[in-house]
Amino acid sequence: MTGKTTKRQGLVAGKVLLTGGAGYIGSHTFVALQDAGFDPVILDDFSNAKRSVLDRIKLICQRSEIECHQIDVRDSDAIFDILKDRDFVAVVHFAAKKAVGESVAQPLSYIDTNVTGLLSLMKAMERAGVFNLVFSSSATVYGNQDVIPIPETATRSFASPYAFTKLIGEQILEQVGHADPRWHFGVLRYFNPAGAHSSGMIGEDPADIPNNLMPYIAKVATGEYERLNVFGDDYNTHDGTGVRDYIHVMDLAEAHVKSLITLIKNSCSHAINIGTGQGYSVFDMLAAYGRAVGHDLSHVVVPRRDGDVDTLLGEVGRAREEIGFSAKYGLDEICASSWHWINTGAKDAALEGED
Ligand SMILES: NC(=O)c1ccc[n+]([C@@H]2O[C@H](COP(=O)([O-])OP(=O)(O)OC[C@H]3O[C@@H](n4cnc5c(N)ncnc54)[C@H](O)[C@@H]3O)[C@@H](O)[C@H]2O)c1
């Protein structure tokens, strides 16, 4: 444990830098960390976030100010300037490009942001003497697997430049951790983050065509898109559509808090799946969103996409055992929270032209 931690009502606390903290998962984690007694600080270049999210976090957290630095995570000296002499206990590294399809079109840009960004961050942390790092990894590091649910011990591979950056990121942490015992890493392999904060004030709001299923369904629900394209209904699943493990973003945020507390208290690294272990199909998701909205949503079945698999589910026992995390929320809560956000925060932001 570093000497910088303080105890607050028996909990570990202290300053935590969130790279990409203005983004979808980062903003929810900011709130969860503050609730747990930490003092989060944001670093973000706002390439995929609106500045107005800061005002929304302030309202949720009832704070008059938030410390936020508009910096590119590849700028190691600028990160060092934030960290030095400041009593940071840890960093959570969200900042990354995340669209699988785009990564195929722009592999160098993805490798630069995601891999160079990680290295530049770690160099700054080392200079500043901050050695606890929680890393946003992804179930994409498992590639295609035969054994479902997927255990953390499964062989890792990559099927896109994006997945490559996450796998390389994990391997960098493993090598550094083996060679230098000062470092402790929490590698969190997210399954499918979805939903929004219960306040309805922050959530996922992609400007472009959404890469993920839920924001796409949300746009069908608002009428922006006429119907959902369902890519194949002849998979080997209960209704023929692909089954995935959707995790509520508020649960995911809580997992970061537990990972951080474990890193700081136990001074040892972990690599774990963050999911629910429960699978839902595209049709399950469409029906649940329809229940949240109050009417059925249109869809059309179109041919399968290359690379899609029947079922992707994570084994969740290690998360329970190593960091004491298990998901609280299910599919209906995920859909209801998304719809609440679409009808409140996201609508206000669009009406007010927030940037
Ligand atoms: N959302 C998902 O489905 C999912 C699934 C698995 C893993 N992840 C990983 O989780 C992390 C967070 O994802 P998210 O969904 O919140 O994405 P997001 O795009 O909402 O958040 C990422 C944030 O990083 C910022 N950023 C991007 N490049 C930057 C740079 N060079 N310097 C500083 N800031 C930069 C963006 O402005 C954004 O605010 C990412 O690392 C992503 O790869 C996401």
Side-chain angles (χ1 to χ4, degrees), residues 20 22-25 43-49 71-73 94-96 98 113 136-138 162 166 190 193 212:
Y24 172 47
I25 303 167
L43 179 162
D44 203 298
D45 70 351
F46 291 92
S47 55
N48 197 34
I71 280 173
D72 190 311
V73 74
F94 298 103
K98 64 168 181 177
T113 299
S136 294
S137 191
S138 162
Y162 170 72
K166 291 296 173 184
Y190 313 158
N212 294 338

Side-chain angles (χ1 to χ4, degrees), residues 131-173:
F131 292 103
N132 292 316
L133 175 61
V134 176
F135 176 64
S136 294
S137 191
S138 162
T140 54
V141 299
Y142 291 124
N144 291 334
Q145 296 285 331
D146 295 329
V147 177
I148 301 289
I150 305 169
E152 285 87 349
T153 49
T155 312
R156 290 167 295 170
S157 63
F158 54 89
S160 68
Y162 170 72
F164 169 78
T165 67
K166 291 296 173 184
L167 180 52
I168 282 284
E170 288 199 6
Q171 289 173 333
I172 289 169
L173 304 190

Side-chain angles (χ1 to χ4, degrees), residues 155-342:
T155 312
R156 290 167 295 170
S157 63
F158 54 89
S160 68
Y162 170 72
F164 169 78
T165 67
K166 291 296 173 184
L167 180 52
I168 282 284
E170 288 199 6
Q171 289 173 333
I172 289 169
L173 304 190
E174 283 157 19
Q175 289 305 315
V176 172
H178 284 144
D180 184 345
R182 292 174 301 173
W183 284 96
H184 301 112
F185 301 112
V187 172
L188 304 186
R189 295 182 189 138
Y190 313 158
F191 275 70
N192 294 75
H197 192 261
S198 54
S199 64
M201 298 187 69
I202 52 175
E204 192 175 18
D205 191 11
D208 299 326
I209 297 171
N211 298 298
N212 294 338
L213 178 62
M214 175 149 292
Y216 202 105
I217 293 181
K219 285 184 187 290
V220 176
T222 59
E224 189 173 334
Y225 296 156
E226 200 176 330
R227 61 177 77 90
L228 175 73
N229 290 329
V230 177
F231 297 103
D233 65 352
D234 55 354
Y235 286 101
N236 184 23
T237 61
H238 64 276
D239 61 18
T241 63
V243 166
R244 300 290 179 268
D245 184 340
Y246 296 95
I247 172 119
H248 197 304
V249 68
M250 287 181 67
D251 275 331
L252 183 53
E254 201 53 44
H256 290 80
V257 175
K258 302 231 172 199
S259 173
L260 259 181
I261 290 174
T262 308
L263 277 190
I264 294 168
K265 275 190 171 163
N266 298 352
S267 298
C268 63
S269 299
H270 48 261
I272 49 182
N273 293 337
I274 304 294
T276 63
Q278 172 78 47
Y280 293 105
S281 71
V282 177
F283 284 159
D284 291 336
M285 177 72 105
L286 200 60
Y289 215 97
R291 286 195 291 279
V293 175
H295 59 81
D296 289 346
L297 301 172
S298 302
H299 73 273
V300 59
V301 176
V302 297
R304 290 178 175 208
R305 287 183 302 198
D306 282 349
D308 277 352
V309 295
D310 295 331
T311 301
L312 267 184
L313 278 184
E315 218 176 71
V316 293
R318 193 187 274 190
R320 208 170 33 242
E321 285 153 23
E322 294 203 11
I323 65 167
F325 170 77
S326 40
K328 286 197 296 243
Y329 301 108
L331 189 61
D332 281 314
E333 286 141 324
I334 290 175
C335 293
S337 70
S338 164
W339 188 231
H340 181 42
W341 148 246
I342 296 292

Side-chain angles (χ1 to χ4, degrees), residues 51-64:
R51 288 201 67 87
S52 59
V53 77
L54 303 177
D55 294 328
R56 293 160 173 277
I57 296 173
K58 278 190 228 165
L59 280 172
I60 297 171
C61 293
Q62 300 182 325
R63 284 173 65 149
S64 55

